[in-house]
Structure formats: structure tokens, C-alpha cells
Amino acid sequence: MKTETTIHGLTASLQTARTSRKTIGFVPTMGNLHQGHLNLVREAKKLCDVVVVSIFVNPIQFGEGEDFESYPRTLEQDSHLLADVGCDIIFAPTVDQMYGKQPRLTNITVGGITNDLCGQSRPGHFDGVAVVVTKLFNIVQPNFAFFGQKDYQQLAVIRQFVKDLNIPVEVIGVPITRAEDGLALSSRNGYLTEDQRKIAPTIYQSLKQAEKELHAGAALSEVLLNIKTQLTDAGFVVDYVEARQPNLQPIEIFNQDIVLFIAAKLGSTRLIDNLQVQFKA
Ligand code: PAF
């Protein structure tokens, strides 16, 4: 496994793979890897000849007062984990390497689907994601790119601009990896105190409870309210509890498949999760 820190170095490393027409799989990350990330790499290994994982804490997707400075940078530990799952190349550029010294005058805004859910409480976040992922796609030029479904809205945003801008990559969404107690794996779980970590699985429990209630015929508004109450009682400050169609459009018909979304804070740690609820016809 190689680690490249420059665009030039990465391009050189991928040269043979490109000329011999090997398929390149790409897993963009911000590092501090957990089993969720490693499962993305495992999926990439199944489908691709060469797997590139980027580790880059992207400053422009963090808002003011968010955790850009304190976001854990654990390259050495990440490298060991990636070697174990068969990653071929780590791309770990500096901010300077990615953005240079001149001001960036180009932005990428995906309309509509970024207006609510996380887009509302994190203004500019998805523009920052769209810009960095586009840059990374142009640098790596992968055949396939792998993203976790925990960041459901992010995945939808990426699929949208890939389609709108004809970026020649196939985007693959990988199901959420959960801890044994149901908590969706996230690098931010590491911010939780021991007590908060015990409370955190309430998010998933409330989603599963909601699924049961919906299948039993309960009204959606009532079910969403129950989730909010459960989370508030457990000590969360709820950002949003919402339901959407799988394409993130508002729900129109009763008994169609939906996705439930939660964002809630425990102390200063913001956690998100989602669950797809299916209704058999
Ligand atoms: O999901 C993440 O870790 C980041 O948003 C991504 C896709 C690597 C872009 O910085």
C-alpha cells in the first residue's frame, strides 16, 4: 500500500492502473476511520482492481463554530486499518495541495434537496462537499465511488451533481454500519462521554419503534412526534425529525416507502441517522 500526499504523486501511482485498464474504486473519507469506512473499502475491493482511499478533512464543508479544528486526525492508525482491508493507495493531501494559495472562484450548489434537513442547520455544508468531491473525482478519476448511507442527504447530493454534470463515475451507496447496540458508526461518536455513549443508541431505537408504529397503521405526524419526545426525554436536543420519500421529496401518498431522518445533539455532539421504512404493496 502506498500513501501519496500530492496530486502529482497520486497521478503517477495510478498511471499503470489506467494504462492497463484496471477498474479504480474510490472511497473519499475525512479519516479517523471506523468499521463503516472499512466496509466501504471492502465493497470497493469486491468490485474494483485498485482501491484509492482519500483522507482529507475538508475545511470548506465545516461551518463557523463547527469541529474543523478539533476533528480527529489519525493518519497512522488509519493507515494500519486500511492496509488490513487491502487498500492500494491512500491519498492524504494537505489543504494547500487541494485548494492552493489563490482564491477559489468556483462553487457547486445543488438546489432543492439541500434546502432542508442538514442543509438548514449547516448552511454551505453541501456546497463544500460538492466542491471537494468533484475535485477528488477529477484527481482520482475513479470508475466507482463508495459512500455510506448514513449521510443519506450527502449521497443524494453527490448522485445529483454527478448526473447533472455528467461526471463519469458510478456512485455506490453502502448500508449503514451499526454498533451492536444499534448506534450508527461515526467518527463523531468519539466525542461522546461514557454516559452519552450509553444514551446515543436511543436514536436507532426510536427509529425502529417508529417503523413498528407505522407498520401498525399509526399516523406519520404522531410517529414523528413520538420520536422527538423519546429523544428529548433521553437528553437530546433535537435538530430535526423528518420523513421523506427515498428521493428526498415530500411525502404525498399514504403507505409509500419512506425514509425517516434524525439529527440531534447530545451535549455538543451532533449525531445523524436514518431508516428506510418499507410498506409491502
Ligand atoms: O462523508 C465524508 O466523510 C465527507 O463529507 C466526504 C464525502 C469525504 C467529503 O469531504
Side-chain angles (χ1 to χ4, degrees):
M1 187 181 71
K2 278 190 186 168
T3 300
E4 300 292 352
T5 56
T6 64
I7 296 168
H8 185 76
L10 180 75
T11 307
S13 270
L14 283 171
Q15 181 68 21
T16 348
R18 282 202 225 287
T19 47
S20 51
R21 294 185 165 272
K22 295 215 157 109
T23 50
I24 299 172
F26 179 41
V27 181
T29 81
M30 299 204 299
N32 195 237
L33 305 179
H34 49 66
Q35 283 303 320
H37 297 112
L38 300 181
N39 282 339
L40 300 181
V41 180
R42 289 184 185 106
E43 284 305 309
K45 287 295 286 181
K46 281 188 214 159
L47 220 63
C48 307
D49 301 318
V50 176
V51 174
V52 179
V53 176
S54 65
I55 296 182
F56 178 63
V57 185
N58 173 35
I60 69 163
Q61 71 185 74
F62 288 80
E64 226 167 284
E66 289 188 356
D67 54 346
F68 172 67
E69 309 291 344
S70 57
Y71 202 87
R73 276 110 171 140
T74 53
L75 184 58
E76 205 178 306
Q77 179 190 312
D78 294 345
S79 304
H80 292 303
L81 293 170
L82 288 173
D84 287 348
V85 287
C87 164
D88 297 286
I89 304 174
I90 298 176
F91 179 49
T94 59
V95 171
D96 210 38
Q97 183 65 206
M98 285 300 285
Y99 289 106
K101 297 220 187 306
Q102 303 297 326
R104 176 178 52 89
L105 302 179
T106 305
N107 192 31
I108 301 175
T109 300
V110 176
I113 55 173
T114 58
N115 291 342
D116 61 359
L117 303 174
C118 286
Q120 195 143 58
S121 40
R122 304 189 72 190
H125 168 69
F126 289 117
D127 289 12
V129 170
V131 167
V132 82
V133 172
T134 302
K135 282 162 84 73
L136 289 166
F137 281 170
N138 287 334
I139 294 165
V140 179
Q141 297 175 33
N143 302 91
F144 298 91
F146 299 80
F147 296 88
Q149 283 170 355
K150 184 176 83 72
D151 298 302
Y152 192 102
Q153 193 177 12
Q154 166 173 283
L155 179 58
V157 166
I158 292 166
R159 283 192 197 285
Q160 186 72 41
F161 73 72
V162 161
K163 179 167 142 272
D164 289 346
L165 303 178
N166 295 87
I167 301 179
V169 61
E170 190 171 326
V171 174
I172 314 262
V174 178
I176 300 174
T177 306
R178 297 183 180 281
E180 243 167 67
D181 58 13
L183 179 65
L185 296 193
S186 161
S187 299
R188 291 193 169 98
N189 294 349
Y191 296 150
L192 299 171
T193 64
E194 216 172 295
D195 285 347
Q196 288 170 337
R197 177 61 189 80
K198 284 187 195 137
I199 299 168
T202 311
I203 295 182
Y204 185 59
Q205 287 155 13
S206 69
L207 286 169
K208 291 302 282 181
Q209 173 69 27
E211 181 184 44
K212 250 192 228 157
E213 291 171 7
L214 286 167
H215 282 159
L220 182 58
S221 54
E222 193 185 313
V223 170
L224 296 179
L225 197 63
N226 287 347
I227 297 179
K228 271 184 208 159
T229 310
Q230 228 178 309
L231 291 174
T232 309
D233 288 352
F236 287 88
V237 174
V238 173
D239 180 355
Y240 60 76
V241 173
E242 301 260 4
R244 291 281 182 283
Q245 294 184 48
N247 64 4
L248 292 182
Q249 296 309 308
I251 289 157
E252 280 158 4
I253 324 157
F254 181 66
N255 262 6
Q256 66 179 171
D257 291 353
I258 62 168
V259 186
L260 298 171
F261 293 93
I262 292 178
K265 272 186 160 183
L266 256 186
S268 55
T269 305
R270 187 172 182 277
L271 301 174
I272 61 170
D273 202 349
N274 66 78
L275 184 74
Q276 304 196 38
V277 179
Q278 280 162 355
F279 291 91
K280 292 205 179 72

